[in-house]
Amino acid sequence: MEELQDIIRDTDDRGAAIARLLKLIEMDSEIIQRHRQAGENGSYVQQYEELRERNLATLAELIRESGYVEGELRIAEKAA
């Protein structure tokens, strides 16, 4: 957690971390969607859902600590 606090204090690092987390969340979501479309919903999909939730929680903390946004971030499945 100390590493996250260092990132929160450094604006450039925070911006890069936020961008990276957004990309990771997008990739996780795409993988989950592909597997669901293929009719799969097993432990592999669950692992990606858990990973996405951890990344989302970290992103929310980074954004919240920046002082610009308050609230909770959630994943909303986009319509086909």
Side-chain angles (χ1 to χ4, degrees):
M1 191 56 85
E2 187 174 313
E3 182 179 314
L4 184 57
Q5 293 303 318
D6 290 341
I7 291 172
I8 289 168
R9 285 190 287 273
D10 187 312
T11 303
D12 291 336
D13 286 347
R14 185 175 55 237
I18 289 170
R20 180 68 179 146
L21 284 164
L22 286 170
K23 184 62 179 170
L24 288 172
I25 292 166
E26 178 184 29
M27 290 169 39
D28 295 339
S29 295
E30 288 173 357
I31 291 168
I32 291 165
Q33 186 177 20
R34 273 197 315 262
H35 282 279
R36 285 184 180 159
Q37 287 173 344
E40 302 169 11
N41 201 21
S43 62
Y44 186 74
V45 174
Q46 184 179 359
Q47 288 175 350
Y48 272 99
E49 289 172 338
E50 291 169 1
L51 179 60
R52 180 175 66 182
E53 287 301 317
R54 282 195 306 269
N55 288 334
L56 189 59
T58 303
L59 176 63
E61 185 173 346
L62 282 172
I63 291 173
R64 201 171 26 255
E65 292 295 326
S66 72
Y68 297 118
V69 176
E70 289 185 16
E72 182 179 320
L73 299 177
R74 290 173 287 158
I75 294 294
E77 301 295 331
K78 65 180 181 181

